[in-house]
């Protein structure tokens, strides 16, 4: 029987090689989980490669982007000046 702490590593090993590619940045110590920049880049890459199936839209700003400098940065690695919030629309625009 596997200990629960081993499950993420096992699950990661089952993910396809493409999904684990080094092309996208990951969260430290979580080799299968893309960070904000990795997720954002993968969404734009998917929509660029499949423009009739996926689009990316800026749907807003985080609180810190609207209120820069208001973060307590000593306790987090969240970018101090915030970031955009992206919507990822997956649909076939050629369908009727
Ligand atoms: C998603 O894309 C479809 C097809 O282009 C479009 O009709 C729809 O309005 C989009 N939805 C959103 C929330 O952007």
């Amino acid at each position: 029987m596997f200990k629960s702490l081993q499950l993420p590593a096992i699950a990661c090993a089952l993910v396809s090689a493409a999904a684990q590619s080094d092309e996208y940045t990951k969260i430290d110590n979580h080799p299968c989980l893309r960070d904000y920049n990795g997720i954002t880049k993968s969404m734009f890459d998917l929509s660029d490669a499949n423009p009739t199936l996926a689009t990316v839209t800026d749907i807003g700003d985080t609180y810190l982007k609207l209120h820069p400098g208001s973060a307590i940065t000593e306790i987090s690695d969240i970018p101090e000046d915030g970031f955009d919030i992206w919507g990822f629309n997956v649909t076939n625009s050629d369908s009727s």
Side-chain angles (χ1 to χ4, degrees), residues 55 57 89 91-93:
T55 53
T57 308
N89 183 0
T91 190
N92 185 351
S93 61

Side-chain angles (χ1 to χ4, degrees), residues 11 14 24 27 44 50 64-65 79 81:
L14 297 174
Y24 303 110
I27 296 172
F44 277 94
N50 306 281
L64 291 178
K65 186 163 183 181
D81 42 352

Side-chain angles (χ1 to χ4, degrees), residues 17-51:
Q20 293 183 55
S21 112
D22 290 336
E23 183 177 358
Y24 303 110
T25 53
K26 312 289 191 312
I27 296 172
D28 289 344
N29 301 315
H30 297 279
C32 287
L33 298 178
R34 294 173 188 166
D35 62 12
Y36 173 81
N37 290 325
I39 290 170
T40 302
K41 184 178 186 328
S42 60
M43 288 193 306
F44 277 94
D45 287 352
L46 282 167
S47 67
D48 288 347
N50 306 281

